[in-house]
Amino acid sequence: MAEPFVHPYLPNSAPAVKAAMLAATGAGTVDDFYVDVPDDLRVDGLLDLPAALPIEQDLVAHVTGILERNRPVATGRSFLGAGTYRHFVPAVVDEVIGRSEFLTAYAGEPYEDHGRFQALFEYQSLMAELLNMDVVNVPTYDGYQAAATALSMAGRMTGRRRIVIASDVFPDKISRVRDFVEPALELVFVPTVNGTADLAAVIEQLDDDTAALWIETPGFTGTLETSLPGLAEAAHRSGAILVAGTDPIALGAITPPADQGADIVHGDIQSLGLHQWFGGAHGGFIAVHDDPRFVMELPSRLFGLASTDVDGEYGFGDVAYERTSFAVREEGKEWVGTAAALWGVAAAVYLALMGPRGMAEIGETILARTDYAMRALTSIDGIDVTDTAPHFREFAIDLERTGPTAAQVIESLRAEGIEPGVEIGTHRLLVCVTELNTRSDIDFFVTRLAALGEGVGS
Amino acid sequence: MSLPIAPKPTLRRFHEARWDEPIIFELDTPGERGVLPSRPEPDLGTGAEALPDELRRTTSPALPEIGQMRVLKHFLRLSQETLGADLNVDVGQGTCTMKYSPKVNDALIRTGRLTDLHPLQDEASVQGILEIIWRTERMLAEIAGMERVSLQTSGGSAAIWTNISMIRAYHEAAGEGDRRDEVITTIFSHPSNAATAKAAGYRVITLYPDADGYPDIEAFKKALSPRTAALMITNPEDTGICNRRIAEFVDLAHSVGALAAYDQANANGILGITRAKDAGFDACHFNLHKTFSTPHGGGGPGSGANGVSEKLAPFLPGPVVERDGDRFYLDGERPLSIGKVAPFYGVVPNIVRAYAWMRSLGAEGLREAAELAVLNNNYLMKRILEIPGASAPYATGRRRIEQVRYSWRALYEETGITSEEIGVRAGDFGVHYWTSHHPFVVPQPFTLEPTESYSKAELDEYADVMAHVAAEARETPDVVRTAPHNQTIHHIHHDDLDDPERWAPSWRAYRRKYFADGDG
């Protein structure tokens, strides 16, 4: 006789329990519960799926066996960025977000989930200090969604249709934004000069149908926007909203966009304490000033401080909940759902550990190593950085004068254990330098790349 | 007192942790450090000199300075003040499928072979994760009966968005984009169906239930027209009632040239029982963080899976993972694709967890999980309906699938105690309880979804808590009204949360508005 199917995840698969429960409901078999599923819609027999691995040891062997085929690049030998960044993750961050309570919580009330509300309020508050803005949402899915939502907010607030884009933006981010904002908004691209905004050309484009002027700093190739104050002034003169994308890990060292006139600031929090995860661990932030015109356009949850019956006790709740689709379905602003709360907790722990000095230092370290890498790489004959703007973490190099294509360089250096960057043109490489790339890592990269050129030339 | 120890009372004498922890900014101790980042080598300079003056931050961000152990302790205390599914009988968050997230799956993903992979590194060095994405897609395609599955979206609502975005692209490719400007949904479908359709530029028509609790098919026929772009529907709906005529709804949508999208965020009662394809749907989506066991993370990251028929496959977001013999590769050359819906390839930690969960159970186990979720639900329904004052509106006497939307209407009319107050009091016994999505079509609603994860004894405990609180509502209503009593904090005053002059969405906003030392 076949053994009854009992699985560790299914307590009531124990035959006696199952029988007692069926009896209590008055059902003969579980099929009685499915009387509303018409026969012609029922699956006949079992689905065609691989054999079960109910023994935990077997499951571990199977999954680990597949994962063995993954080979991470040695720390320091990777110069890949382009949206997912390699930064050091302090152990305390993983400890906190691995806690059962945070990991398996969901939508508890502000009483039983007081700790989750406080942690996310602290995330908002720590980000607010870094950004120098009062209001930061509970994280949305990723930086792409944050950009799409920030621009949509500007469209709703102004009732205008045009988005003028003055920076080089990641093509994938543009793709996501386009999918989200069309047909309500029209994207207008103004070509950059030397990697940053062409102020005069941008001013030409600003008109009374311009909802937002969108700046990215750092932009696609790591350039920092140097004329943000002038751009903001021009945008405001035409009644448009200045929407700025940035990476918060830069902001301990770099002037926050809000200080230079940005009205909505957005970006991704992956840099703040999240591993690379093959690009699968992103969270988006949207920050605004404490102005109800802006706050009421945010679709995400927003936790606020509240008093309780007891003196000295902090409580929390949803700020302006009636904005959201949870409250009013399609009348809400966009939608709200499960997004990236746990990654927000990770970022909160990261910022609390780093403090003001840590954030200043990491920004400076990345600036210094980026600057060194740019100088070292351009010391190779025939290699140029594509612009002379200031850079944070990323820059593009042009290899055309050295001979091999970017794809050939990537292939050759991979053979030596180096991931030299991302191909962004036949002869262009996008190189990313973080605090994980030490001076000796950079020197090794430069030496091997130079040797490659010599090999080709000889 | 001496041994033996008296038996435990029926209800747990719970008290949640109460650390009375300050806000993290109040832990600021100037000079302390939590972690030291890597610094530039001596001859590299500080980095700041590479910047023009106006780009150098001159005022330090007012982050707190705290030693490492105190930071750890702060967040561990906050974690103890959070009631995760691992700790409570989490059947009170109906529609959200709070099932067990197996610990082995968390252990499996805690490896540098996942955490340290960059999405653009050599394809040959990421074959393992590409294989898991490919296999997971194929298994989900079999479960839905669909042609293809994409795992790119980061949550259920994002997956619903992706379905409506593909439908929009489909109509546009057919030259009907401008004409089809309406989407039809039902009030017991998740609110994100209505919200994403609206965000995509559609006019939303919402169907209400007929007298038996089924979506009103006559109203649906009237709403359909050549302007209809899509039907977006959940089944079983949030009431737990399965729509017997679902295939007819889909056929009717098709008859006017519209497509039909199936919100299967919660497919937990029908795995291996019935499939989206069999009812004729063009698109469906699953939430890996519901049906497929990945943890909810306190509100994400989730993970969505979009299943599509052959008709919509060309429109899937990209790139997609393809297989060539033993080699897996990414294909981004798909001209009709709606493009990117998220960075890179999806929420990798959750994809691996969902894969491991499905592999542990196999086809028989998945069906058993579904059947037990439904058995548990009908068992709990029996226990709940024995409580005076509780009811299950619509389809009286009929079986439910994986959840039930109940009502305390009778109890409220008798005692004045609301569903919300019952929920707060229930927390005093260490269980979570949620009312329902707005608007409250069912008066004083609550939605219970036991999943397959909780034992009979745990379901009995939950029902006992409900019965006890309902009795308190009659006998000692003030105890219910003044709850919480055994939780981390006391009754919250909500008045300041909706007033822009008074709300405090961050510590700095709070300090500025209420204290002289704030920025201002």
Side-chain angles (χ1 to χ4, degrees), chain B residues 24-136:
Chain B
I24 192 138
F25 291 88
E26 297 174 285
L27 302 176
D28 179 37
T29 310
E32 287 186 6
R33 301 294 300 263
V35 69
L36 303 176
S38 171
R39 300 294 288 136
E41 291 74 4
D43 50 344
L44 259 49
T46 66
E49 60 261 30
L51 286 179
D53 284 349
E54 67 274 15
L55 284 181
R56 269 181 228 163
R57 185 164 189 154
T58 47
T59 318
S60 247
L63 298 170
E65 297 176 73
I66 314 167
Q68 187 171 111
M69 191 190 188
R70 188 64 185 92
V71 173
L72 174 71
K73 201 171 286 176
H74 175 73
F75 284 105
L76 292 188
R77 287 172 174 171
L78 296 188
S79 79
Q80 290 198 340
E81 294 175 341
T82 303
L83 192 64
D86 275 355
L87 292 145
N88 88 97
V89 183
D90 212 350
V91 307
Q93 185 71 30
T95 79
C96 295
T97 318
M98 302 303 297
K99 64 170 63 179
Y100 176 48
S101 299
K103 292 293 130 182
V104 66
N105 300 345
D106 296 335
L108 282 168
I109 64 168
R110 218 173 287 129
T111 163
R113 291 183 188 277
L114 285 172
T115 57
D116 297 342
L117 295 184
H118 191 278
L120 299 172
Q121 73 181 70
D122 189 0
E123 217 164 70
S125 67
V126 294
Q127 287 293 301
I129 183 58
L130 291 179
E131 179 173 350
I132 286 187
I133 293 172
W134 189 89
R135 284 168 173 260
T136 306

Side-chain angles (χ1 to χ4, degrees), chain A residues 45-67:
Chain A
L46 288 173
L47 296 174
D48 180 17
L49 293 173
L53 297 167
I55 297 168
E56 190 167 313
Q57 175 181 328
D58 298 346
L59 180 71
V60 170
H62 167 74
V63 176
T64 308
I66 299 177
L67 294 179

Side-chain angles (χ1 to χ4, degrees), chain A residues 5 76 148 197 215 223 227 241 334 370 373 381:
Chain A
F5 184 94
I215 310 294
T223 50
S227 45
I241 289 168
E334 301 173 23
T370 306
D381 193 30

Side-chain angles (χ1 to χ4, degrees), chain A residues 24 34 36 41 43 48 53 62 70-71 100 103 112 122 130 134 179 278 290 309 313 365 439, chain B residues 16 38 43 57 74 86 113 142 165 269 273-274 355 359 382 398 432 490 493 506 508 512-513:
Chain A
Y34 291 114
D36 279 344
L41 299 187
V43 174
D48 180 17
L53 297 167
H62 167 74
N70 293 334
R71 286 177 281 107
S100 267
L103 183 64
E112 78 221 19
E122 291 179 350
L130 195 59
D134 275 356
D179 172 58
F278 199 44
D290 190 358
D309 282 350
E313 194 172 80
T365 300
R439 179 184 175 156
Chain B
E16 192 160 10
S38 171
D43 50 344
R57 185 164 189 154
H74 175 73
D86 275 355
R113 291 183 188 277
E142 168 66 10
S165 179
I273 303 290
T274 183
Y355 174 74
R359 286 310 309 268
K382 179 177 185 303
R398 292 198 75 87
H432 171 61
H490 301 81
H493 306 157
S506 63
R508 62 191 269 138
R512 177 171 53 75
K513 286 180 182 174

